Amino acid sequence: MSGLSPRAAYEKVLQQGRFVPDAAQDHAVDQLETLYQQVRSGRAQAGGVYLWGPVGRGKTWLMDHFHASLSVPARRQHFHHFMRWVHQRLFQLSGTADPISKLAAELARDTRVLCLDEFFVSDIGDAMLLGRLVQHLFEHKILLVMTSNQPPEGLYADGFHHDRFLPAVRAIQQHMQVVNLDGEQDHRLHPGVAHQRYWVRTAGEGQLLGAVFEQLCRGQAPTYESAYESVCEPVSEPVELGHRQIQVVKRCADLVWFRYADLCEQPLAAMDFIHLCDQFGTILLSDVPCLSAEQHASRIARGTEDAAEQVETGDRELPRLSRQDDGVRRFIALVDECYDRQVPLYLEATVPLDQLYPHGHLAFPFRRTLSRLTEMQLARFGQG
């Protein structure tokens, strides 16, 4: 990162031809530049900028360069990482009066600006917690910059007890500049130097990633990826994730190779993929199937219990789920973590990239996954 102001950094990449002119991005840069100047002069009050829009519009890039421009104490985290820290800290504060307020006060002592990437709420516990936490962050004058695929009012819109998350929505709308990056450009799809990290394996072929693994293990990776100082001997010892032993095909120093079923069809959570990227700088994943499957309807009967209280809800049909969707969620979490950490991910699948998940309940979040996997096929990915 250069430390340039948001406007200067944006103009530089336009001149280099790395981005194409985009009116929606230009408006977002204006908002971030204004916030940057307010922070720099000490005039910034409670608030911030909320960037939302489809995949590939440059939300993360804009936020990261805003963060890099700051000279005040600032914290940049993927939302999953931030929530993991929140839950850990609240556990440590168990028994104290109003632990959420105390957590916000502690954060305010060390952080002037908090940047959160991929803000997304799907869990009832997180929704209820964030309903109060976001308000406390603003009360403690912490400036927020967030990216999301959804507008504030779309967050957790169909979730249980949505009303308990509404205070957070109202606080975001009241204090932050909400900017829709609705431009027509998917900037991840613009040409760059190609570097293949996705292969399609046809029936009867041997493992295509074998040669890739051997090359990486011998330290012959391109200079912008993990390189090893000397030849290491591959082993097949399992990797421990979430107190489970996860079988590997091979592993070697900073490199590990899994099969899809062994990694994504195990009861793992997003924090386990965080731990995985803590351990390894390059990940290989083979035997990735077509992830769409027959959908199975589920219904819930009238009268849903909320603890001791029964709520009249009427018949309500839940989303049509696939038996494979738990694995797909984990695959999405793996790609997100590798993308956020700039960890090269090499994939061997049975279908082309655009046919990985053609339909299903998770089609919306999977669009971001496809966009990120597409960018991972460029040499610039992994350069940091």
Side-chain angles (χ1 to χ4, degrees), residues 122-246:
S122 60
D123 177 82
I124 177 75
D126 285 350
M128 295 172 67
L129 188 160
L130 287 164
R132 294 190 58 218
L133 178 59
V134 170
Q135 296 177 87
H136 281 297
L137 295 178
F138 288 129
E139 289 171 3
H140 285 86
K141 309 300 183 184
I142 295 175
L143 296 169
L144 295 178
V145 174
M146 299 178 179
T147 74
S148 180
N149 293 131
Q150 297 175 310
E153 62 273 15
L155 295 166
Y156 199 61
D158 298 320
F160 295 120
H161 296 300
H162 175 248
D163 58 304
R164 301 186 188 182
F165 185 66
L166 287 177
V169 172
R170 287 192 288 265
I172 291 172
Q173 292 172 328
Q174 176 184 351
H175 294 288
M176 302 181 74
Q177 294 295 322
V178 178
V179 181
N180 182 8
L181 272 79
D182 56 356
E184 297 179 356
Q185 297 284 344
D186 185 338
H187 295 272
R188 294 180 187 150
L189 303 182
H190 285 285
V193 179
H195 180 86
Q196 185 175 9
R197 296 191 182 95
Y198 188 97
W199 288 265
V200 179
R201 179 186 178 190
T202 58
E205 277 191 303
Q207 292 280 359
L208 301 175
L209 289 187
V212 176
F213 180 89
E214 294 301 324
Q215 183 185 38
L216 292 169
C217 195
R218 289 197 302 268
Q220 296 178 0
T223 57
Y224 53 81
E225 290 180 7
S226 301
Y228 310 107
E229 295 179 356
S230 60
V231 176
C232 60
E233 188 67 28
V235 297
S236 56
E237 296 175 0
V239 171
E240 183 173 337
L241 295 174
H243 305 293
R244 293 178 175 83
Q245 296 296 312
I246 305 300

Side-chain angles (χ1 to χ4, degrees), residues 130-384:
L130 287 164
R132 294 190 58 218
L133 178 59
V134 170
Q135 296 177 87
H136 281 297
L137 295 178
F138 288 129
E139 289 171 3
H140 285 86
K141 309 300 183 184
I142 295 175
L143 296 169
L144 295 178
V145 174
M146 299 178 179
T147 74
S148 180
N149 293 131
Q150 297 175 310
E153 62 273 15
L155 295 166
Y156 199 61
D158 298 320
F160 295 120
H161 296 300
H162 175 248
D163 58 304
R164 301 186 188 182
F165 185 66
L166 287 177
V169 172
R170 287 192 288 265
I172 291 172
Q173 292 172 328
Q174 176 184 351
H175 294 288
M176 302 181 74
Q177 294 295 322
V178 178
V179 181
N180 182 8
L181 272 79
D182 56 356
E184 297 179 356
Q185 297 284 344
D186 185 338
H187 295 272
R188 294 180 187 150
L189 303 182
H190 285 285
V193 179
H195 180 86
Q196 185 175 9
R197 296 191 182 95
Y198 188 97
W199 288 265
V200 179
R201 179 186 178 190
T202 58
E205 277 191 303
Q207 292 280 359
L208 301 175
L209 289 187
V212 176
F213 180 89
E214 294 301 324
Q215 183 185 38
L216 292 169
C217 195
R218 289 197 302 268
Q220 296 178 0
T223 57
Y224 53 81
E225 290 180 7
S226 301
Y228 310 107
E229 295 179 356
S230 60
V231 176
C232 60
E233 188 67 28
V235 297
S236 56
E237 296 175 0
V239 171
E240 183 173 337
L241 295 174
H243 305 293
R244 293 178 175 83
Q245 296 296 312
I246 305 300
Q247 190 63 45
V248 306
V249 180
K250 293 179 182 179
R251 52 188 290 195
C252 174
D254 199 28
L255 169 70
V256 64
W257 176 6
F258 297 98
R259 292 185 178 88
Y260 177 88
D262 293 330
L263 183 64
C264 296
E265 293 182 359
Q266 303 301 316
L268 300 174
M271 67 179 61
D272 297 315
F273 297 114
I274 294 173
H275 183 52
L276 177 64
C277 289
D278 288 341
Q279 297 182 68
F280 298 98
T282 305
I283 298 171
L284 282 65
L285 188 67
S286 60
D287 300 296
V288 181
C290 175
L291 301 177
S292 289
E294 180 185 357
Q295 303 296 302
H296 300 272
S298 177
R299 296 183 69 84
I300 186 168
R302 179 182 298 274
T304 304
E305 292 186 359
D306 176 13
E309 180 181 0
Q310 190 175 41
V311 182
E312 294 294 326
T313 62
D315 291 338
R316 183 167 58 86
E317 187 172 352
L318 295 176
R320 297 173 64 83
L321 301 177
S322 161
R323 291 190 178 94
Q324 292 185 211
D325 277 344
D326 283 342
V328 176
R329 288 189 182 93
R330 296 185 192 102
F331 181 75
I332 290 172
L334 171 65
V335 173
D336 281 349
E337 188 62 22
C338 288
Y339 183 87
D340 192 60
R341 301 277 289 275
Q342 294 287 292
V343 171
L345 175 64
Y346 291 79
L347 298 173
E348 175 191 299
T350 59
V351 295
L353 183 57
D354 61 357
Q355 297 175 26
L356 260 184
Y357 195 80
H359 57 79
H361 173 59
L362 300 174
F364 177 78
F366 205 83
R367 285 199 292 271
R368 182 184 73 232
T369 300
L370 285 179
S371 180
R372 291 185 162 188
L373 287 174
T374 299
E375 187 176 356
M376 287 177 175
Q377 307 307 304
L378 299 176
R380 66 174 182 250
F381 180 83
Q383 290 180 309

